[in-house]
Amino acid sequence: MTGEALHIGLIGPLPPPFGGMANQTKQLAELLTSKGVTVSQVQMNADYRPAWIARVPVVRAIFRLFPYLCSLWRLAGRCDLFHVMANSGWSWHLFAAPAVWIAHQRGVPVIVNYRGGEAEDFLKKSGQAVRWIMNRVAILAVPSGFLVEIFARFGMKAEIIPNIVSLERFANSQPYRAELHRLVVARNLEPIYDNATAIRALAIVRARQPDTTLTIAGSGAEAESLRALVRELGLDDAVKFTGRLSPLAMVEIYRNSDVAINPSLVDNMPNSVLEALAIGIPVVSTSVGGVPFMVRDEVTALLIPPQEPERMADAVLRLFNDTALCDRLVTNGRADVQRYSWSNVWPVWAQAYRRAVLGRRGERES
């Protein structure tokens, strides 16, 4: 099946705000279009109309859900396939599951592209309902072996189709040079990403390397508490909160950083880690969820246990003081991240789309 013959209904969130799944949805639409695929999108996080509805709980869900369902129904009548971006919790129940059900009712094959590090907890609570929906799906695609294992425990078969990193954005990056001591965390300010541990690690690092700074690129519910922690530790001049940034703005942040930190407590396949590898800066990450499936300790990154600021600080100081280690991690990381380039991922998606569409045609003919 060629790209020119395929019309995909892509269902997912779009920026703003900029974030992992929204960025991946937008990027995928652009890349599929570049291959001649016709892409029609239905946005899960569309603006409320009228805008004041956003301030009214419960009612606002209805105002968003009804137009969403109508758009899905119309799109199912004119496309070959639904590609549904999916996550845990209410996002699944309100947006992903209805998209699958509508496609099933209208005879359109579905690929569910599930991502999210909280899958195990979600499936413990909702596994039966999710299995019921997945029985109506052509392919369950996940970005990591971690999620393959999680879904298998709950009786669902998944296959790996990796996240995509736009390596072209990082093509002109300069080789890593540890002239300064600038740390970056590119995670939202939510409890599961544990930015507090990165801030505490900074305080420990500065006791030995006083010029070390930290940039935190993200937004979220913990913004005020994290700012309070910075003040409490006397780090006001050392920590910069940028808020959530566009992908292009993030490239500049990475280029002006020397070590990337991923302090999360729960994770799947964080694009922030892949982007740091692509631009060529060493990574210190917690060894949670799918992270050990995407990077190898002492080979492409340094992995540490979660919620241990002392271990995080030790890893950062190792990188500051060991040029050979940094060079090894950067060289290996840049080579390894090629697996996530569009040129390598597109054939996998093309084959999955072909199987899904031909499988449904076979069902109709039998």
Side-chain angles (χ1 to χ4, degrees), residues 213-225:
T213 61
L214 171 63
T215 297
I216 300 178
S219 62
E222 291 200 315
E224 287 308 311
S225 63

Side-chain angles (χ1 to χ4, degrees), residues 341-360:
S341 68
W342 178 237
S343 61
N344 286 325
V345 178
W346 159 243
V348 186
W349 273 123
Q351 200 262 353
Y353 292 147
R354 184 176 188 276
R355 284 189 288 124
V357 172
L358 292 182
R360 177 50 58 93

